[in-house]
Amino acid sequence: MSAADIRTAIAAAGLTPPERIIPDGKIHRFSTNGTRSKRPGWYAMYEGEHRIGVFGCWRLGIQEKWSERSTSSWTEKERQTFRNILKQAEAERTAGYARGIEVARRRWEAAQPAGDHPYLTRKQVQVHGIRQIGTRLVIPVRDADGEIQSLQLIGRDGEKRFQTGAPAAGGYFLIGEIKDRLIVAEGYATAASIHEATGLPVAVAFSASGLRTVCENFRERWPRVQITVAGDHDAPGRKAAEATGFPAVFPPGPGDFNDLATTKGPEAVRMAFEQRPASGFPLIDATTIKPRSFDWVIEGVAEGDTLSALVGAPKGGKSFFAIHQACCIATGSPFFGRPVRQGPVVYVAGEGQQGITRRLAAWQQHHGIEIPPGMLFISARAASLTEPDTWEAVSGAVRDVQPVWITVDTLARNFGPADENNTADMNRFVQALDMLREVNGAHVQTVHHTPRDAPGRARGSVALDGAMDAVYVLRRNGEQIEVDAPLLKDIPPPGPMLYTLETVQLPEIDGEAASSAVLVPATWPAPAERQRLSKSLRLALDTVLPAATFDDDGTASADIEDWRTRFYSRHAGDTADTKRKAFTRARQELMNLGVLQEIDGRQVLQPAGNALVLQHIQAGRIIEAGQSGTFCVRQPGDLA
């Protein structure tokens, strides 16, 4: 992979790449948007036998690795180098935050007490310990220990931004003195209106995503204080307040409590907080809950206001399936004969935006249908959905579009710096999906990989499978792609679906030929003739599978000596010579059938080459199709 390729990868992540890549294994900073004064982007490149490295953006929570070859083939030295790069990057980020915090504290000390300001006048609130630098109001963002960790700056027009390089997540600003009750609100104007109307202390959380963290931090520090959330009177505001798990109070009409104060007066705000707050754990009388009909987005496949996962092996066709769903919904076209509810679609693309645009062009050309303007939106970069600061930005974008379907492709590229094997991190990712779903009741689907040893479920923490309303498993068998739904909570199973990819030649791009592919229905193969494999051949298949190891693309290969030992141990022959001859004949027969070949001394299994062999393997086993018709196969008895 050349430096140009690395710059392309950085650009594909939605960042402006540096003009020059230095392969010295050290962290290098760069601007991600062309602004030379701010450099939240970073990369490190190591040039040994092969080039490896990592890049990211601390402002956006992006962290991605790349390599000239598969990471599974890295040497131990390369793995250690990569770990060292990550440690160095974390140290740089920590040091960067420390510098940002120091700048924030110096700016706060230099700021003057706030005076008359258009924002305060427009919001009809007073100055409560905030300051001013030039034309901007300055509000300190404090950490759990009360120390300044960042600043929020508000312009004359109400534009808000945080101190560059300083962490704002989880921070607060307190108006008033805590005694026996505390209100937690999103913004300064709302908090000031509540305090002025009630006299109660109010903590500013600065965002909807920060409400829960601020409430929990105050609960830990003041366990006897009654904490109430001041929510906004709209669906996202109510969901965010209720998600904290703390009691909540809402204005009687649309908007927030600052809107209530400016339209109805402080007395209306005071009366709202004299009422008993809504419980953070509401209970509903079961007799009042009525069953509802299915709210299909894709009839018989996916409902609105639910979560799903589309999982499969790498390079198995998942994105083609996801693109086909998105295009059908955006255009109102039937999904392989199934009616859809037409509506806007948001596609959060973690990688390959250029590839997605070609696939969209291929879909429109193949079907002769143009996607209407304002119906399908592709993100310019990945979203670090395990970081609460990102939730607010993505939720705001989704709120503007009001989609009926949201695709997050892939989980790994939109997971941020967290660990997908960690249950807490996975729960935080699921919480982000829930927040997107709750904006307007869209169906939210994340695209993810399957582990090599368990191809029927999503890779990483099982918390993902448990949180989904449906899990669709995609398996590729040569040219055919089978999709099934083994995990469904409340809808009848749609049954297995079979497709194939058809190449579409696109118009030339900058004088070069271009092509992509589209998903089209496939015909289920006729059952194999009813005949039996020889006993030795069945034994050979049953013993080569548990001896196999698997590459990233699902290719299964076995060491011949391991295979031979397993075969001998289960063969009924009386002598070693009998077992040797049986093994040799069975191995040669598999080669003759075209389902086994020897590559670099290893036995590579390709069962799709023979229908009878494939039928034997499929009986009672879980199969994950690889890119070339090879398989990852697991049978509980074989693994004992």
Side-chain angles (χ1 to χ4, degrees), residues 155-377:
R156 296 169 61 89
D157 59 357
E159 178 198 10
K160 299 175 183 178
R161 63 182 179 85
F162 291 103
Q163 171 68 45
T164 301
Y172 74 94
F173 172 68
L174 182 64
I175 300 175
E177 182 180 351
I178 297 177
K179 294 181 180 179
D180 55 1
R181 189 178 181 189
L182 173 68
I183 310 300
V184 179
E186 287 188 35
Y188 174 82
T190 300
S193 294
I194 296 170
H195 175 73
E196 292 165 16
T198 66
L200 294 170
V202 188
V204 180
F206 296 102
S207 69
S209 60
L211 288 172
R212 181 171 181 172
T213 301
V214 171
C215 287
E216 290 175 345
N217 287 343
F218 274 104
R219 165 64 72 236
E220 184 175 349
R221 253 183 115 176
W222 286 279
R224 298 182 181 277
V225 170
Q226 178 187 346
I227 298 175
T228 303
V229 176
D232 293 351
H233 188 107
D234 55 27
R238 184 170 292 274
K239 294 290 185 182
E242 292 176 348
T244 66
F246 287 81
V249 172
F250 302 94
D256 57 31
F257 281 103
N258 177 255
D259 297 322
L260 181 63
T262 56
T263 57
K264 302 295 184 180
E267 182 64 17
V269 176
R270 185 187 62 78
M271 290 178 62
F273 282 90
E274 286 184 349
Q275 299 175 7
R276 180 180 177 182
S279 169
F281 188 73
L283 299 175
I284 303 173
D285 185 345
T287 62
T288 67
I289 304 173
K290 304 300 181 184
R292 63 177 178 85
S293 60
F294 291 113
D295 180 26
W296 298 119
V297 180
I298 302 176
E299 187 172 303
V301 175
E303 280 194 282
D305 203 20
T306 57
L307 303 179
S308 71
L310 173 65
V311 303
K315 301 179 181 179
K318 299 184 298 296
S319 290
F320 286 100
F321 188 87
I323 285 288
H324 187 76
Q325 288 178 319
C327 290
C328 287
I329 296 166
T331 61
S333 304
F335 179 79
F336 298 115
R338 298 174 180 269
V340 304
R341 170 153 51 97
Q342 185 178 12
V345 176
V346 170
Y347 201 103
V348 183
E351 59 186 5
Q353 277 85 357
Q354 288 301 317
I356 288 177
T357 58
R358 286 192 290 271
R359 292 170 189 178
L360 292 175
W363 190 92
Q364 293 175 94
Q365 179 177 310
H366 176 81
H367 293 279
I369 300 173
E370 290 189 2
I371 299 172
M375 294 302 286
L376 178 56
F377 299 86

